[in-house]
């Protein structure tokens, strides 16, 4: 059985589609993974020696001539035609036949849904008994990400017309399933909810593992509090009598992963930190912000102008194999994700949950399908609320005679305990996604 998995974007920055690929390979399917060039794939997908199935990775570049960017209508038309050409060439010329299933990530819907549908129909003309089935994995609604206007109306009509033509559908929330049934007129029997779940690489770490990782990234966390550290010490950990323990009066570590786009208002976190810094006395915070995106330099300039006494903020880019280790070392994570449709959930919260690290998350529709306030984290609606939550959650660390390990003090310890035993990706995938590939 052969499945074509298509991402009309950088494959390396689409973890869910990479996890689909891994699960299909483990079940013995051959997989062609198609998408843009860019970031490295997750380590387990790079090493396929222990799998009997075969993987064919097809990555391509899209051109965006600078001379056209000043004439937006022409630029958008060029980009659309270029995408269509590269995608058609990739699936027809670089993907072997026969194909049994085509799994696509939505959004973007344009032109992916149309080309994927036509691809299945054309292959069916040559092999009527082997016409591929199209499965759409709904991460969001494509048209909801566009500004109001004529183009958005056209995009909505297009997406509503294409959606019922697929054989099967996966979605990330119960709210999305209800929308597909009630607004897209898709039969319930063709839809399965596949909640994001962390794969096995997102796990808690021992103090020894944390220490090794923190030593590796120590230069990236340079701040005034590092002065006087011995060679085998980090600002968070130290070795005493051959055992790794938290340093006395260590800073707390807060992480936030962002795409540095307008969809995630990083200014909320900045304002919260400015307010929080004024309230702190002895507690110190190190904030690690990971990710790449168009507004990173804008916010880095803002960060450089901050004069915080008790808080040090660092922007990092970590390889896929290192990112889970940072989350496991954190005391708490912060999610600034909002949803243009109100129907999707941020995978970055699941990554933290896999490491049993609690999260403070910006409140929006359907977020409570994932994060229950004061159970496995906190929900906030403003920078003031986030500032108060961080203060209440983190300051208890100063009341211990022996400095506790990450997220093992105060309310954070309770939240972390409530995250034990959450379902993992592969088991969840077998239950809710695999049946669509056996139909």
């Amino acid at each position: 059985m052969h499945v074509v998995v298509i991402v009309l974007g950088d494959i390396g920055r689409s973890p869910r589609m990479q996890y689909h690929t891994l699960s299909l390979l483990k079940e013995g399917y051959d997989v062609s993974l198609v998408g843009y060039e860019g970031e490295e794939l997750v380590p387990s997908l790079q090493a396929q020696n222990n799998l009997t199935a075969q993987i064919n990775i097809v990555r391509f570049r899209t051109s965006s001539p600078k001379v056209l960017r000043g004439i937006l209508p022409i630029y958008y038309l060029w980009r659309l035609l270029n995408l269509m050409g590269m995608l058609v060439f990739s699936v027809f010329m670089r993907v072997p036949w026969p194909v049994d299933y085509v799994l696509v990530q939505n959004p973007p819907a344009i032109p992916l849904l149309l080309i994927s549908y036509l691809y299945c129909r054309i292959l069916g003309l040559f092999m009527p008994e082997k016409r591929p089935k199209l499965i759409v994995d709904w991460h969001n609604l494509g048209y909801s990400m566009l500004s109001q206007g004529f183009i958005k109306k056209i995009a909505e009509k297009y997406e509503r017309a294409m959606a019922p033509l697929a054989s099967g559908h996966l979605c990330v929330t119960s709210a999305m399933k209800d929308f597909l049934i009630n607004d897209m007129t898709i039969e319930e029997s063709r839809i399965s909810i596949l909640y994001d779940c962390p794969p096995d690489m997102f796990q808690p770490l021992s103090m020894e593992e944390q220490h090794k990782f923190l030593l590796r990234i120590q230069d990236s966390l340079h701040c005034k509090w590092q002065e006087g550290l011995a060679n085998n010490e980090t600002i968070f950990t130290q070795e005493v009598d051959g055992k790794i323990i938290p340093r006395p009066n260590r800073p707390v570590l807060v992480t936030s992963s962002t795409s540095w786009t307008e969809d995630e208002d990083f200014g909320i976190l900045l304002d919260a930190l400015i307010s929080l810094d004024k309230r702190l006395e002895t507690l110190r915070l190190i904030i690690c912000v990971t990710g790449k995106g168009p507004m990173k330099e804008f916010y880095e300039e803002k960060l450089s102008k901050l004069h915080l006494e008790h808080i040090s903020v660092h922007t990092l880019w970590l390889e896929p194999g290192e990112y889970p280790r940072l989350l496991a070392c954190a005391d708490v994570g912060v999610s600034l994700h909002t949803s243009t449709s109100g129907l999707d959930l941020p995978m970055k919260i699941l990554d933290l949950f896999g490491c049993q690290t609690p999260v403070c998350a910006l409140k929006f529709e359907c977020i409570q399908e994932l994060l229950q306030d004061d159970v496995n984290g906190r929900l906030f609606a403003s920078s003031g609320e986030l500032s108060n939550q961080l203060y209440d959650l983190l300051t208890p660390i100063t009341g211990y005679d022996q400095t506790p390990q990450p997220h093992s003090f105060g309310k954070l310890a309770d939240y972390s305990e409530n995250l034990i035993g959450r379902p993992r990706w592969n088991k969840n995938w077998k239950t809710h996604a695999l049946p669509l590939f056996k139909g």
Side-chain angles (χ1 to χ4, degrees):
M1 301 285 279
H2 179 203
V3 181
V4 181
V5 178
I6 306 177
V7 180
L8 204 57
D10 180 356
I11 302 173
R13 299 182 70 177
S14 182
R16 181 174 166 104
M17 302 308 282
Q18 293 184 70
Y19 302 158
H20 275 303
T21 301
L22 277 170
S23 295
L24 287 164
L25 290 169
K26 289 177 181 177
E27 291 299 316
Y29 291 80
D30 294 332
V31 180
S32 291
L33 179 58
V34 181
Y36 294 179
E37 293 181 357
E39 303 300 334
E40 289 188 0
L41 305 182
V42 295
S44 48
L45 199 52
Q46 295 180 42
Q48 294 301 309
N49 296 334
N50 59 335
L51 299 175
T52 56
Q54 294 184 345
I55 181 169
N56 171 39
I57 299 176
V58 178
R59 305 185 77 168
F60 57 87
R61 293 182 181 179
T62 58
S63 61
S64 301
K66 292 183 179 180
V67 69
L68 297 179
R69 294 183 184 180
I71 315 170
L72 287 183
I74 296 177
Y75 172 73
Y76 289 143
L77 179 60
W78 163 264
R79 185 160 178 80
L80 176 62
L81 295 175
N82 182 251
L83 280 175
M84 293 177 67
M86 293 302 299
L87 184 56
V88 168
F89 177 80
S90 296
V91 294
F92 279 100
M93 304 303 294
R94 300 178 64 187
V95 172
W97 295 6
V99 174
D100 298 282
Y101 296 91
V102 176
L103 171 65
V104 301
Q105 171 185 301
N106 189 76
I110 302 173
L112 181 56
L113 293 184
L114 175 61
I115 290 179
S116 300
Y117 173 72
L118 293 176
Y119 175 66
C120 293
R121 291 296 299 258
I122 291 170
L123 292 192
L125 293 177
F126 291 97
M127 293 175 287
E129 74 286 353
K130 291 284 288 183
R131 175 181 165 182
K133 293 183 178 180
L134 177 61
I135 299 173
V136 180
D137 189 10
W138 294 85
H139 297 203
N140 202 347
L141 301 174
Y143 68 83
S144 72
M145 304 173 73
L146 300 175
S147 301
Q148 291 291 340
F150 176 73
I151 294 178
K152 181 171 183 175
K153 291 179 180 179
I154 295 297
E156 181 176 357
K157 290 182 181 295
Y158 161 85
E159 202 162 352
R160 289 179 179 275
M162 294 304 305
L165 301 180
S167 301
H169 302 265
L170 295 167
C171 51
V172 293
T173 63
S174 176
M176 177 70 81
K177 179 179 179 179
D178 291 341
F179 181 87
L180 294 178
I181 294 171
N182 298 324
D183 290 69
M184 295 282 198
T185 63
I186 297 172
E187 296 92 339
E188 183 176 2
S189 60
R190 291 196 283 153
I191 307 171
S192 180
I193 303 171
L194 180 66
Y195 284 112
D196 283 322
C197 294
D200 291 337
M201 64 180 177
F202 291 93
Q203 294 277 359
L205 296 180
S206 67
M207 285 303 301
E208 289 73 15
E209 291 171 319
Q210 291 182 41
H211 183 67
K212 290 178 182 178
F213 169 74
L214 292 168
L215 281 172
R216 290 199 297 274
I217 68 165
Q218 185 147 263
D219 290 343
S220 301
L221 304 180
H222 182 71
C223 62
K224 59 186 178 182
W225 307 319
Q226 287 183 326
E227 296 175 3
L229 290 179
N231 289 335
N232 196 37
E233 287 184 334
T234 77
I235 196 170
F236 301 99
T237 56
Q238 65 180 6
E239 184 176 350
V240 176
D241 298 328
K243 183 179 179 181
I244 303 299
I245 61 172
R247 278 179 62 82
N249 303 314
R250 70 168 177 86
V252 292
L253 177 59
V254 180
T255 65
S256 182
S257 176
T258 177
S259 56
W260 298 106
T261 62
E262 294 180 356
D263 293 335
E264 296 182 343
D265 187 356
F266 190 71
I268 293 176
L269 179 57
L270 286 188
D271 292 342
L273 295 179
I274 292 170
S275 174
L276 178 62
D277 189 65
K278 297 174 182 177
R279 301 176 62 186
L280 298 178
E281 296 178 0
T282 59
L283 181 65
R284 299 166 296 166
L285 275 70
I286 289 183
I287 315 293
C288 289
V289 185
T290 64
K292 289 183 179 180
M295 299 187 71
K296 183 176 181 180
E297 291 183 1
F298 171 79
Y299 280 112
E300 282 183 327
E301 184 179 354
K302 282 196 167 189
L303 287 169
S304 68
K305 296 177 180 178
L306 294 181
H307 300 286
L308 303 175
E309 182 180 354
H310 305 282
I311 300 174
S312 181
V313 185
H314 305 266
T315 58
L316 308 175
W317 174 255
L318 298 173
E319 297 299 329
E322 294 285 68
Y323 174 64
R325 297 180 179 277
L326 174 67
L327 304 190
C329 294
D331 291 288
V332 67
V334 174
S335 170
L336 301 170
H337 176 90
T338 57
S339 172
T340 56
S341 65
L343 302 174
D344 70 306
L345 294 171
M347 179 175 275
K348 63 194 73 174
I349 293 181
L350 272 303
D351 296 340
L352 284 152
F353 280 1
C355 300
Q356 295 174 22
T357 302
V359 178
C360 294
L362 185 61
K363 188 184 301 183
F364 64 91
E365 292 179 65
C366 87
I367 183 64
Q368 290 183 324
E369 287 192 39
L370 173 60
L371 194 154
Q372 293 78 47
D373 192 35
D374 204 29
V375 175
N376 50 17
R378 295 303 312 271
L379 295 173
F380 61 89
S382 66
S383 60
E385 285 189 9
L386 174 59
S387 178
N388 290 334
Q389 289 174 6
L390 292 175
Y391 183 87
D392 293 340
L393 292 173
L394 298 175
T395 51
I397 195 174
T398 61
Y400 289 79
D401 293 332
Q402 292 185 330
T403 305
Q405 297 183 19
H407 50 260
S408 65
F409 54 91
K411 279 281 191 180
L412 291 175
D414 297 332
Y415 299 161
S416 181
E417 186 174 351
N418 290 336
L419 293 172
I420 296 174
R422 288 184 65 90
R424 292 283 166 172
W425 170 267
N426 206 46
K427 182 178 180 181
N428 189 51
W429 187 90
K430 283 185 177 181
T431 302
H432 298 287
L434 182 57
L436 289 180
F437 296 93
K438 290 183 176 295

